[in-house]
């Protein structure tokens, strides 16, 4: 099982569910996990820990899926989408000139501790001006990374050269933090989204409590278009 196999499976879901295929990402990942486990039995890790192996694969698969779903739509707007790992895992001299400019425009000044790239999964940028429009982080549950995303949003907004960049979170919300049936209280994860992020987009078939900052995933592209006006 590879991430390419996951994308191929998503395309099967898209044939079945059309534009609403994003709602079934959690179901897709459950199906993928079963296949991944069978592969794991054939080639176990030294510690023989499937859950640990699956956790890393799942996070990467979700990131790749979001990239796959959005890339063509973003390109149609005259923008580009690049994975954050591209900056982390590539020596500066091996980046294209375009991505060297983007990396510089995304970097945060930590004073005497140098410049550092925020921990984000996907970066939306204008290939003509190299201006970064937005960054996205993704996890299957909010509690895994939401506070970290809030921290980076604060750092981005407090630096003049990056304060225009929008920081978004995308998740299937497997803990149902945004679900309509969780009562009237507001959990910590949602509070962070509402106060410390520019928005969150939820990939679920469950009914959610939407707000100006919390919306279903299908609304992301419309909101991105508004940033270009």
């Amino acid at each position: 099982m590879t991430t390419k196999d996951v994308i191929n499976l998503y395309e099967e879901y898209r044939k079945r569910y059309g534009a609403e295929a994003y709602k079934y990402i959690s179901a897709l990942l459950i199906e993928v996990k079963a296949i991944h486990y069978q592969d794991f039995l054939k080639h176990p890790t030294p510690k023989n820990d499937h859950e640990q192996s699956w956790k890393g694969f799942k996070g990467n698969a979700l990131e790749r899926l979001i990239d796959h779903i959005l890339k063509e739509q973003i390109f149609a707007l005259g923008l580009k989408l690049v994975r954050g790992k591209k900056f982390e895992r590539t020596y500066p001299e091996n980046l294209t000139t375009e991505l060297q400019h983007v990396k510089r425009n995304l970097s945060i000044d930590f004073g005497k501790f140098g410049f550092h790239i925020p921990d984000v999964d996907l970066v939306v940028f204008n290939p003509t001006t190299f201006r970064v429009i937005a960054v996205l982080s993704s996890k299957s549950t909010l509690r895994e990374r939401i506070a970290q995303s809030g921290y980076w949003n604060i750092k981005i907004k407090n630096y003049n050269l990056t304060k225009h960049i929008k920081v978004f979170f995308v998740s299937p919300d497997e803990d149902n933090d945004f679900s309509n049936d969780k009562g009237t209280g507001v959990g910590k994860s949602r509070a962070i989204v509402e106060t410390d992020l520019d928005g969150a987009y939820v990939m679920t078939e469950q009914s959610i409590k939407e707000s100006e900052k919390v919306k279903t995933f299908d609304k992301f592209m419309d909101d991105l278009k508004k940033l270009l006006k």
Side-chain angles (χ1 to χ4, degrees):
M1 170 62 69
T2 66
T3 53
K4 185 176 181 180
D5 296 325
V6 177
I7 289 172
N8 289 338
L9 183 58
Y10 170 79
E11 287 301 317
E12 293 299 318
Y13 272 63
R14 191 160 71 163
K15 290 177 184 177
R16 191 185 317 169
Y17 299 111
E20 295 192 335
Y22 75 89
K23 294 182 177 181
Y24 302 95
I25 292 297
S26 288
L28 181 150
L29 290 173
I30 290 173
E31 188 173 344
V32 169
K33 184 177 183 179
I35 301 171
H36 184 272
Y37 180 65
Q38 294 304 315
D39 289 347
F40 178 84
L41 292 178
K42 298 174 185 175
H43 306 285
T45 59
K47 293 185 178 181
N48 201 33
D49 186 344
H50 176 251
E51 282 302 318
Q52 187 63 32
S53 174
W54 166 244
K55 184 177 180 180
F57 183 87
K58 180 182 183 182
N60 188 46
L62 178 60
E63 180 184 327
R64 292 276 188 163
L65 279 169
I66 296 169
D67 177 68
H68 174 72
I69 294 168
L70 294 178
K71 191 176 287 289
E72 286 188 9
Q73 299 178 70
I74 287 175
F75 185 76
L77 296 179
L79 305 176
K80 284 189 177 182
L81 186 66
V82 63
R83 299 178 72 205
K85 290 185 178 68
K86 184 75 173 179
F87 301 114
E88 297 173 3
R89 298 179 178 179
T90 307
Y91 287 111
E93 61 269 24
N94 293 330
L95 288 171
T96 64
T97 301
E98 176 182 72
L99 291 183
Q100 287 178 17
H101 282 293
V102 173
K103 181 177 182 178
R104 184 175 62 188
N105 290 339
L106 183 59
S107 297
I108 303 295
D109 187 357
F110 280 76
K112 67 179 182 179
F113 299 105
F115 285 80
H116 297 280
I117 295 290
D119 290 328
V120 297
D121 294 320
L122 297 167
V123 180
V124 182
F125 69 95
N126 184 319
T128 302
T129 63
F130 312 120
R131 180 181 175 89
V132 177
I133 309 299
V135 294
L136 290 77
S137 292
S138 62
K139 282 292 181 182
S140 57
T141 63
L142 273 74
R143 63 184 176 185
E144 288 184 87
R145 196 173 177 181
I146 196 68
Q148 183 187 71
S149 296
Y151 164 79
W152 281 114
N153 188 39
I154 292 170
K155 295 297 292 185
I156 286 171
K157 295 301 191 291
N158 284 337
Y159 187 49
N160 283 336
L161 298 182
T162 57
K163 64 183 181 181
H164 64 279
I165 298 173
K166 299 299 182 182
V167 179
F168 299 124
F169 197 84
V170 181
S171 175
D173 188 28
E174 293 182 351
D175 286 337
N176 293 319
D177 284 290
F178 295 139
S179 174
N180 269 334
D181 59 4
K182 290 199 71 173
T184 58
V186 176
K188 179 168 61 177
S189 294
R190 175 147 196 158
I192 292 172
V193 171
E194 296 283 6
T195 60
D196 295 329
L197 289 181
D198 292 306
Y201 297 88
V202 189
M203 311 173 90
T204 181
E205 59 183 314
Q206 302 296 322
S207 177
I208 67 167
K209 297 177 182 177
E210 291 196 75
S211 68
E212 283 299 311
K213 288 194 174 183
V214 177
K215 303 176 184 180
T216 51
F217 180 73
D218 58 312
K219 297 180 176 68
F220 173 77
M221 287 305 302
D222 286 337
D223 285 349
L224 181 61
K225 291 174 185 177
K226 293 175 184 177
L227 298 179
L228 305 180
K229 295 180 179 179

